[in-house]
Amino acid sequence: MKSIKYFVLGLLVYSSGAFAQLKAVVYKDGSQVLNGFEITPKKKSAQKPGILILPAWHGIDKASKDIAGDLANLGYYSFIADIYGEGNYPKDNAEAGQKSSYYKTNYKEYQTRISLALEQLIKAGANPDNIVVIGYCFGGTGALEAARGHLNLQGVVSFHGGLARDAARAIEPITVPVLVCHGADDPYESKEEITAFQQEMRDTKADWQMIYYSNAVHGFTNPEYGNDNSKGAAYNEKAAKRSFDHLKLFLNEVLKN
């Protein structure tokens, strides 16, 4: 109970103006309590575009809060999803790997948690017909699952996300635009997984694009990962900026502003 108390307390304490605009939101999946965050733009438009943010494998973190603030400054309603739920937050990398792997395997449950977060984004004011899902690492996998799950979206964006899918799964049409921002030197995505993903996109006749960033490994958007590429996950300032610019281009194309 003490660890949960400190986790929630940590989520409620912010160190920047952007975080101060974030509002904690408690919602549920059955009896499971979920703790997300919403933020509304200072400058609102009649189209009310919305962005659902799926965090990396440790759950809601500073990086996901930062991007929510950046998107709000651009005029987007945003909601940060809680995939794991209260009492299930990983304490270390081993637990994060175990818990994220569970949802990658049990993708229907992942899609359900994403759908519930979408409902909260809409309650916050976003237009239900003007929403994009973006995700980072484990959340990038979730963004692709949102597209595979035929959720009511205008597009999905995966940043250094897992691309693999069970080959036994039936391939169904993907009807929303897909953007994948990928580190060219990411050691966690095999050539076979990349090839299979690209073939899936072709087979589904998806509107997709995959952008590679040179000298970038896994997690290249997160400054907290440091700059040592040999560790497999590291920040790359140039790739982070370029991928954010590509995100803005994508949003301008698929959303009504």
Side-chain angles (χ1 to χ4, degrees):
M1 287 298 294
K2 185 179 291 186
S3 62
I4 295 174
K5 175 183 177 182
Y6 288 138
F7 178 86
V8 174
L9 180 62
L11 293 179
L12 294 174
V13 176
Y14 312 110
S15 59
S16 74
F19 285 6
Q21 300 174 49
L22 287 167
K23 176 184 175 183
V25 177
V26 177
Y27 60 116
K28 288 187 175 183
D29 180 0
S31 61
Q32 176 63 62
V33 174
L34 304 168
N35 298 291
F37 286 92
E38 68 180 45
I39 185 169
T40 60
K42 290 182 179 179
K43 185 178 180 181
K44 300 179 176 65
S45 76
Q47 302 297 336
K48 298 182 178 180
I51 313 291
L52 178 65
I53 301 167
L54 305 180
W57 66 336
H58 278 280
I60 296 174
D61 54 8
K62 182 179 183 300
S64 57
K65 294 173 187 175
D66 283 343
I67 191 66
D70 291 341
L71 291 169
N73 289 336
L74 293 174
Y76 297 100
Y77 289 80
S78 295
F79 188 85
I80 310 173
D82 179 8
I83 300 301
Y84 299 134
E86 193 167 291
N88 299 303
Y89 304 121
K91 295 187 290 291
D92 51 35
N93 286 348
E95 281 196 6
Q98 179 185 30
K99 292 179 183 298
S100 61
S101 293
Y102 172 85
Y103 284 98
K104 289 178 182 178
T105 301
N106 297 278
Y107 61 90
K108 290 288 188 182
E109 294 183 39
Y110 201 176
Q111 291 169 348
T112 295
R113 291 284 166 91
I114 295 169
S115 295
L116 292 170
L118 276 173
E119 291 176 4
Q120 296 303 314
L121 174 59
I122 294 166
K123 287 180 180 179
N127 180 344
D129 298 317
N130 201 26
I131 291 175
V132 161
V133 171
I134 70 173
Y136 297 80
C137 301
F138 167 56
T141 302
L144 297 177
E145 287 300 346
R148 291 168 178 145
H150 306 294
L151 303 185
N152 182 29
L153 303 170
Q154 302 307 306
V156 301
V157 183
S158 170
F159 294 88
H160 40 81
L163 306 176
R165 60 183 291 281
D166 186 349
R169 288 173 62 179
I171 292 180
E172 300 180 8
I174 290 179
T175 57
V176 299
V178 176
L179 169 62
V180 173
C181 298
H182 187 73
D185 299 328
D186 190 329
Y188 299 115
E189 287 300 311
S190 68
K191 292 180 180 179
E192 292 76 16
E193 287 174 342
I194 293 171
T195 298
F197 167 75
Q198 293 181 350
Q199 190 59 51
E200 177 192 2
M201 294 297 101
R202 294 185 179 96
D203 290 344
T204 60
K205 303 187 185 305
D207 173 5
W208 68 285
Q209 52 190 313
M210 185 170 181
I211 302 174
Y212 289 80
Y213 302 97
S214 64
N215 304 312
V217 292
H218 194 68
F220 61 81
T221 63
N222 193 335
E224 294 185 349
Y225 288 166
N227 302 108
D228 185 356
N229 278 14
S230 69
K231 294 182 178 180
Y235 178 62
N236 183 302
E237 183 178 7
K238 185 178 290 186
K241 181 181 182 302
R242 287 176 173 173
S243 64
F244 187 67
D245 287 342
H246 288 136
L247 170 64
K248 290 189 287 185
L249 286 171
F250 182 83
L251 296 178
N252 287 335
E253 177 183 320
V254 303
L255 291 180
K256 298 174 183 177
N257 292 307

